[in-house]
Structure formats: structure tokens, C-alpha cells
């Protein structure tokens, strides 16, 4: 492991200090590319205008026509938290404008991903005049063609990277060719929200609100924030505004019944909602439905108007998440046992398969293995009809989709299909007996594309904290900010004496640490039960621990290295 202290541009740091920011915050934000305090403002007025999003004005006109003609609109959603929230935003938002709208979310195990011809056939039973895809569709060339053959128009709203050819449909996607929208990191739910902003402007132009109030689209921002964080998209300035605005609504108790219910089922206080809650507490409960069962349950929860009905569904989601965690833990144990038979340090990649693995959880297990061993990892499970389906996660330095493309070219016929991006991808093997061929070819591809130094994990930190900065007040200031992908939460490094340690919850360490000045701190090391040495060099985050109404400082230890004697 290599620990690297982030560089801090001096001019930006001084500008932020002059604006009145806390010295530690000024250092942290300057290191993340913030050059002036205006970039930290999260007011709605600072959002990028919808006019810059290619296809949004045209989509608004088509939707306004559909509403005026009372056409049946069918939303076809993806099966993860981004897809579920995008679908809920579409359903709630379009209904506010008077649309006749329903949704369809395919079972991932039967139909796979995207608007396939098979899904179009299923959708046709509902007799829609217009299909609106959310969080999918940019690669659905065949599906759109089938819809057109059936006389159904398609509006694609997506954020994924396009392939070599585009579907013959109206498209709203910041990553499509010719789109100048400055935020290429909009989640699928963000794209759908922008389409609604454009629709409201179009309806204004048509005098649709002459005799009735305009819909308040800000009411949808709790869902936008949830989907944006859960999909781990880059939190650029625009996305941080969307997330911050959504969190403010949650903390004010103005979230929709479904979001409030999932918070309650997760045992979290929505009045103190944070990006951490969305990414690690609420999002996984939504995702569990798509991984193990049917995302229809998650969407129904998010669009429920009754708090009682939403809570009943949220409790079902919570139970599915418990089942998902148990399945994941069992798969993780099996996978680690298989890896014990090899010397991981000699490998550039990891490939794991077991016939009893659950295909809905392979991506999570791949992520855990990648984090533990710092190697590009593919985990396979048996799919329907004899298929072998895999999900992969990568490390900095290896573009996973490019690696799979190289395998496909070197081993023609081995991979039936694959897709994804730099850090995550999915694939299906054409030959169920081809695991070992794939393992060897993927290892060779990784050796071609990676250099040895990239196999060493680099942990970026924000330096050391002085004695006065290690306090609850700073932890609370940082806790109120939005952190996530591309805008990482602050991590610090320090030397501590381990005064006490004990295992809690079977797999976590509860610690008491002593700093160089003799001050003591409560700390946790999650997902690690191995005892620590007496003195450690720790990479940690500041957190706020709340227990029985009392808030206190707690350090979250992420890495603990044996401190070398002076």
C-alpha cells in the first residue's frame, strides 16, 4: 500500500480561507479542485440550464403532445436504484402534468438489460403509444427497431456511454455525440429530472398553467439525490447541487413517503440524512429488490402516497436486503476459500466461479474481492438456460471494458456479449465450460494493460490533523457536506496508541485510541476483526456518533499499519 497526501493548490486554499472557510475545509476543498467559494454554493438557481442538454427541448414537445392527446405512456426502467428512482421521478412528474403513465421493469434474470425486442413484446401488451426508457436505451438499437415496427414511438433517456450506433429514436443523454451539456456525469434519474424541467417550460409556453398552479418539481429532488448517490456517479458541481437540495428536503421532513419509509426501515434518522445514508443504507435496500427479486417492489414503494403502505413495502425491502447480505457473505467465504489455493500476489487478475453463486450478487462480491486484494476481479454464476454470467470490478489503471474487448478478440466465440465501462462491466460466456479459458485470457489481457506498480494500492489522504482540529465541531461541519465519487470524503493520517480493542457484531473492532498529546478518541474499524498492534499509523475519517441523544466524535479507521519505531 502506498499512502499519498493530496497536493493543495496554494492560491485556491488562500482564496477559500479569505472567504471565511475553516482552515481544514479550505485545504480539503482546494485539494478537490475548488477554486472559489461560489463553487460550493448549492442553490437551485446554480443548476445548469436544461436547454444545453441535447434532445431535452424536443423530448418536452413530444411529451407535451402525448399529454394533450391523452396518449398512453409506458416507462421502461432499469433494475437498480438509479433506474428505480428515475422511474419514480418519471411517474410522479409526468402525473403532475396530467399524463397517462404506467411503468414496466423487466426481471433481470429473464430479460437482461435494456430495451430488448423481448421487452418490447412484453410492453406491447399494455398498448402504449410512447415508450420512455429511463437509465437505459442508448444501446437498444434492436429493441427500438422492434418498437417502431409495432407502431410504438420511443424516447430514450439515459446516461450510459453510446456504442458505435445509436437507436433510431429521440434521445436525451449528456454522453451522446454532439451534446455540449457540461455535466457528463448526470445519473439516469438526473436526466429524467432535466426532461421534466424542459417539459414544464414547454407547458408554460402552451399556457397549460393559466388556470391551475404549476407543478413544483423540487418535490422530486429527494428521489434525484437518492438515485444520484446510489449510482456512484461523479459528484461534479451540478450533481452536488442536486444531492444537497434533495438532502435538505429530507432533513426538513419533506421527502416522499417511500423515502421516509426506507429510512425508518433502515433505522436511520431522516432529519440527519447524509450522502452516506443514501449510498450505504437506503440505496442498497432498493437495489436488493432488483438483485434478488423484482424492482417493481422498490418502485412501488417510492411512488406510494400512503406512509403506511410505503412502510410495509420498505420492510419487505429491508428483509430482502438482509437476505442479500447473507447470500453475499456466503459467496464471499466460498470465493476467499478458492483464492486461498493460489498466490494472489503473483496474479494480475482474479476470476472466481461457483455453480451455487447467485447471479444477482456477483457484482457485489467482485467489488469486495477487488477492494481486499486490489486486483481486477470477475465473479461468475450460473444463469438461466445454461449460461454463465459474470460481473467485474476494476482498479485504477485498467479499463475493464477494454480488457474484455481484448479477451473477445483473442478468444473468438468465448464471450457471447459484454458491456460496461472503465471500473465495472458485465459479460456472458458462450461456452459454459469456458471458465478456465477466460481466466487465462483475462489474466493475459491484464498483464498486457497493467504495469506492476499499478497493482499497489494507493490511498490518498488529506494530511494530518492538529490536536485542536480533532474535534466534534469539525466532524459535524464535514458531515453536512456532500461527498462521493469524484469528490471523496476527507481522510486523514495519524499515529495512535491502541488503548483498548474488542470485537462487536462479530466482524468489527471497537477501539479506544490515544493521540500523541495524550488525548483519547473512540474509534471503529468496520469489516475487520483482526487485532491491531499497540501502536498504529491510521488512515481515518471523522464521524459523528449519536447514541441516546448524545453526539460525540468517533474516528472511522480505514487502514491501520504497524507504526515503525522512531
Amino acid at each position: 500500500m502506498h499512502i499519498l497526501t493530496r497536493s493543495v493548490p496554494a492560491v485556491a486554499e488562500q482564496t477559500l480561507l479569505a472567504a471565511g472557510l475553516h482552515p481544514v475545509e479550505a485545504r480539503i476543498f482546494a485539494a478537490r479542485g475548488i477554486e472559489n467559494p461560489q463553487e460550493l454554493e448549492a442553490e437551485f438557481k446554480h443548476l445548469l440550464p436544461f436547454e444545453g442538454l441535447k434532445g431535452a427541448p424536443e423530448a418536452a414537445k413530444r411529451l407535451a403532445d402525448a399529454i394533450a392527446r391523452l396518449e398512453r405512456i409506458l416507462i421502461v426502467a432499469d433494475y437498480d436504484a438509479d433506474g428505480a428512482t428515475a422511474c419514480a421521478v418519471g411517474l410522479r412528474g409526468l402525473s403532475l402534468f396530467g399524463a397517462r403513465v404506467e411503468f414496466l421493469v423487466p426481471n433481470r434474470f429473464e430479460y437482461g438489460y435494456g430495451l430488448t425486442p423481448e421487452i418490447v413484446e412484453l410492453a406491447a401488451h399494455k398498448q402504449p403509444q410512447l415508450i420512455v426508457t429511463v437509465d437505459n436505451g442508448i444501446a437498444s438499437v434492436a429493441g427500438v427497431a422492434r418498437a417502431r415496427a409495432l407502431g410504438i414511438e420511443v424516447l430514450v433517456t439515459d446516461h450510459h456511454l453510446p456504442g458505435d450506433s445509436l437507436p433510431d429514436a429521440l434521445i436525451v443523454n449528456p454522453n451522446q455525440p454532439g451534446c455540449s451539456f457540461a455535466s457528463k456525469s448526470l445519473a439516469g434519474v438526473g436526466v429524467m429530472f432535466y426532461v421534466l424541467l424542459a417539459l414544464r417550460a414547454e407547458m408554460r409556453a402552451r399556457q397549460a398553467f393559466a388556470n391551475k398552479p404549476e407543478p413544483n418539481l423540487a418535490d422530486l429532488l429527494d428521489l434525484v439525490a437518492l438515485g444520484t448517490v446510489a449510482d456512484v456517479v461523479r459528484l461534479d458541481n451540478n450533481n452536488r447541487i442536486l444531492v444537497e437540495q434533495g438532502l435538505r428536503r429530507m432533513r426538513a421532513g419533506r421527502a416522499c413517503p417511500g423515502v421516509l419509509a426506507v429510512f425508518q426501515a433502515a433505522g436511520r434518522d431522516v432529519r440527519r440524512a447524509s450522502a452516506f445514508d443514501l449510498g450505504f443504507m437506503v440505496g442498497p435496500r432498493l437495489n436488493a429488490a432488483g438483485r434478488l427479486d423484482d424492482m417493481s417492489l422498490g418502485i412501488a414503494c417510492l411512488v406510494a402516497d400512503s406512509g403506511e403502505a410505503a412502510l410495509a413495502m420498505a420492510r419487505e425491502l429491508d428483509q430482502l436486503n438482509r437476505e442479500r447480505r447473507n447470500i453475499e457473505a456466503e459467496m464471499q467465504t466460498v470465493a476467499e476459500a478458492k483464492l486461498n489455493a493460489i498466490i494472489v500476489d503473483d496474479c494480475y487478475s482474479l476470476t472466481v466461479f461457483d455453480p451455487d453463486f447467485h447471479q444477482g450478487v456477483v457484482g457485489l462480491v467482485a467489488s469486495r474481492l477487488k477492494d481486499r486484494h486490489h486486483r481486477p476481479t470477475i465473479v461468475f454464476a450460473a444463469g438461466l438456460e445454461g449460461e454463465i454470467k459474470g460481473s467485474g470490478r476494476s482498479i485504477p489503471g485498467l479499463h475493464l471494458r477494454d480488457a474484455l474487448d481484448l479477451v473477445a478478440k483473442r478468444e473468438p466465440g468465448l464471450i457471447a456479449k459484454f458491456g460496461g465501462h472503465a471500473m465495472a462491466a458485465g459479460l456472458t460466456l458462450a461456452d459454459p465450460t469456458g471458465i478456465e479459458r477466460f481466466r487465462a485470457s483475462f489474466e493475459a489481457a491484464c498483464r498486457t494493460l497493467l504495469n506492476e506498480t499499478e497493482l499497489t494500492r494507493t490511498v490518498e489522504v488529506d494530511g494530518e490533523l492538529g490536536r485542536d482540529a480533532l474535534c466534534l465541531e469539525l466532524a459535524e461541519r464535514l458531515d453536512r457536506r456532500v461527498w462521493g465519487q469524484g469528490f471523496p470524503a476527507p481522510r486523514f493520517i495519524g499515529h495512535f496508541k491502541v488503548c483498548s480493542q474488542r470485537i462487536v457484531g462479530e466482524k468489527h473492532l471497537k477501539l479506544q485510541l490515544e493521540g500523541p498529546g495524550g488525548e483519547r478518541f473512540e474509534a471503529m474499524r468496520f469489516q475487520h476483526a483482526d487485532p491491531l498492534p499497540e501502536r498504529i499509523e491510521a488512515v481515518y475519517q471523522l464521524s459523528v456518533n449519536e447514541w441516546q441523544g448524545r453526539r460525540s466524535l468517533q474516528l472511522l479507521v480505514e487502514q491501520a499499519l504497524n507504526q515503525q519505531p522512531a
Side-chain angles (χ1 to χ4, degrees):
M1 182 191 308
H2 176 58
I3 296 176
L4 176 68
T5 300
R6 291 186 176 90
S7 61
V8 181
V11 174
E13 182 181 16
Q14 288 304 314
T15 300
L16 297 175
L17 281 171
L21 267 73
H22 186 286
V24 175
E25 284 188 299
R27 186 174 91 206
I28 289 168
F29 290 130
R32 284 155 181 76
I34 301 298
E35 296 181 345
N36 63 73
Q38 287 73 38
E39 294 176 63
L40 296 171
E41 293 180 3
E43 301 310 313
F44 198 64
K45 64 183 179 181
H46 296 303
L47 272 183
L48 293 170
F50 70 81
E51 290 88 350
L53 184 58
K54 182 180 178 181
E58 294 78 11
K61 288 182 171 61
R62 180 63 187 90
L63 288 169
D65 288 343
I67 293 168
R69 297 194 290 252
L70 297 178
E71 292 179 357
R72 287 185 293 275
I73 302 172
L74 181 68
I75 296 177
V76 176
D78 189 20
Y79 41 71
D80 64 1
D82 186 19
T85 52
C87 184
V89 164
L91 289 168
R92 284 184 169 276
L94 290 173
S95 296
L96 290 174
F97 291 109
R100 298 174 61 190
V101 58
E102 297 181 84
F103 80 94
L104 172 67
V105 57
N107 184 298
R108 68 187 298 183
F109 308 119
E110 294 180 36
Y111 294 98
Y113 171 78
L115 185 70
T116 63
E118 294 79 12
I119 292 171
V120 171
E121 297 289 348
L122 189 65
H125 292 297
K126 294 182 178 287
Q127 299 182 318
Q129 281 85 40
L130 177 65
I131 288 176
V132 178
T133 71
V134 291
D135 194 32
N136 75 95
I138 195 65
S140 302
V141 176
V144 170
R146 182 56 186 153
R148 289 177 68 87
L150 294 174
I152 305 171
E153 287 188 65
V154 178
L155 165 60
V156 171
T157 76
D158 200 354
H159 69 125
H160 294 97
L161 296 175
D164 295 333
S165 57
L166 297 175
D168 185 12
L170 181 56
I171 299 171
V172 186
N173 182 334
N175 291 299
Q176 67 176 307
C179 184
S180 60
F181 194 69
S183 175
K184 301 298 182 183
S185 300
L186 270 183
V189 66
V191 175
M192 188 65 227
F193 182 71
Y194 262 83
V195 168
L196 293 175
L197 291 176
L199 175 59
R200 183 173 62 184
E202 176 65 23
M203 299 287 275
R204 281 175 186 160
R206 298 186 183 197
Q207 302 295 313
F209 309 120
N211 299 310
K212 59 182 179 181
E214 288 187 5
N216 183 6
L217 296 181
D219 288 342
L220 304 172
L221 285 168
D222 56 335
L223 295 169
V224 177
L226 171 55
T228 299
V229 173
D231 208 46
V232 203
V233 295
R234 182 178 179 83
L235 291 184
D236 58 17
N237 287 2
N238 208 60
N239 278 337
R240 289 202 305 276
I241 293 171
L242 292 172
V243 173
E244 176 61 35
Q245 286 292 324
L247 286 171
R248 289 180 187 179
R249 297 189 71 79
M250 294 179 204
R251 293 167 187 154
R254 293 159 64 192
C256 69
V259 169
L260 293 174
V262 180
F263 264 89
Q264 184 176 342
R268 306 295 289 188
D269 185 355
V270 73
R271 295 170 300 175
R272 302 194 184 280
S274 67
F276 175 87
D277 291 318
L278 303 185
F280 294 95
M281 297 295 170
V282 181
R285 282 164 172 78
L286 276 181
N287 278 326
R291 292 186 187 282
L292 301 187
D293 189 21
D294 185 338
M295 186 49 93
S296 296
L297 174 64
I299 295 170
C301 178
L302 295 180
V303 299
D305 292 322
S306 158
E308 183 179 353
L311 184 57
M313 288 183 277
R315 285 172 173 158
E316 285 188 62
L317 292 171
D318 185 64
Q319 182 57 40
L320 282 172
N321 193 51
R322 293 174 191 274
E323 294 176 23
R324 186 272 303 168
R325 285 202 301 254
N326 290 336
I327 292 170
E328 182 187 347
E330 292 172 5
M331 289 171 59
Q332 182 82 11
T333 299
V334 172
E336 291 288 4
K338 290 176 180 290
L339 293 179
N340 286 338
I342 63 173
I343 302 174
V344 171
D345 288 347
D346 291 343
C347 300
Y348 276 57
S349 68
L350 301 176
T351 299
V352 181
F353 166 71
D354 190 276
D356 294 327
F357 279 176
H358 192 296
Q359 61 172 304
V361 187
V362 288
L364 294 175
V365 176
S367 182
R368 298 277 190 194
L369 295 176
K370 181 268 298 181
D371 289 343
R372 183 178 181 88
H373 300 287
H374 197 67
R375 296 291 188 274
T377 302
I378 307 284
V379 178
F380 286 101
L384 300 177
E385 300 177 359
E387 295 177 319
I388 301 296
K389 294 196 171 185
S391 185
R393 300 293 184 270
S394 193
I395 62 174
L398 181 88
H399 193 295
L400 190 54
R401 190 191 178 283
D402 289 352
L404 294 177
D405 186 52
L406 184 57
V407 172
K409 289 173 179 174
R410 288 177 172 178
E411 295 283 344
L414 175 61
I415 300 178
K417 57 184 177 181
F418 68 94
H421 48 84
M423 304 306 290
L427 70 158
T428 300
L429 295 188
D431 180 3
T433 65
I435 294 290
E436 291 307 318
R437 279 178 61 206
F438 176 85
R439 189 194 312 274
S441 187
F442 184 56
E443 174 72 11
C446 289
R447 287 181 178 270
T448 299
L449 300 172
L450 279 169
N451 63 59
E452 191 172 352
T453 60
E454 289 168 326
L455 300 179
T456 299
R457 187 194 315 272
T458 296
V459 178
E460 290 189 306
V461 299
D462 294 286
E464 297 188 37
L465 284 180
R467 183 173 181 177
D468 292 341
L470 264 167
C471 62
L472 176 62
E473 188 265 341
L474 178 61
E476 289 181 323
R477 292 176 71 97
L478 297 179
D479 189 52
R480 288 193 291 268
R481 298 289 187 175
V482 172
W483 310 101
Q485 182 70 21
F487 204 75
R491 289 170 174 81
F492 308 99
I493 191 164
H495 299 276
F496 299 95
K497 177 183 177 182
V498 180
C499 300
S500 67
Q501 53 185 311
R502 61 186 176 88
I503 297 174
V504 295
E506 299 183 357
K507 56 183 178 181
H508 314 300
L509 275 183
K510 185 173 179 58
L511 308 161
Q512 188 177 73
L513 304 178
E514 183 180 295
E519 62 279 15
R520 294 201 173 191
F521 306 97
E522 299 299 316
M524 288 293 299
R525 180 149 163 76
F526 290 108
Q527 303 296 330
H528 292 271
D530 296 334
L532 297 178
E534 181 181 3
R535 294 189 177 276
I536 59 171
E537 181 180 38
V539 175
Y540 66 94
Q541 293 189 50
L542 299 182
S543 74
V544 179
N545 183 43
E546 185 162 356
W547 176 249
Q548 295 183 338
R550 177 176 172 268
R551 291 166 66 81
S552 60
L553 174 67
Q554 181 175 258
L555 309 187
L556 300 182
V557 177
E558 297 185 355
Q559 309 288 340
L561 309 178
N562 195 350
Q563 182 179 334
Q564 299 300 317

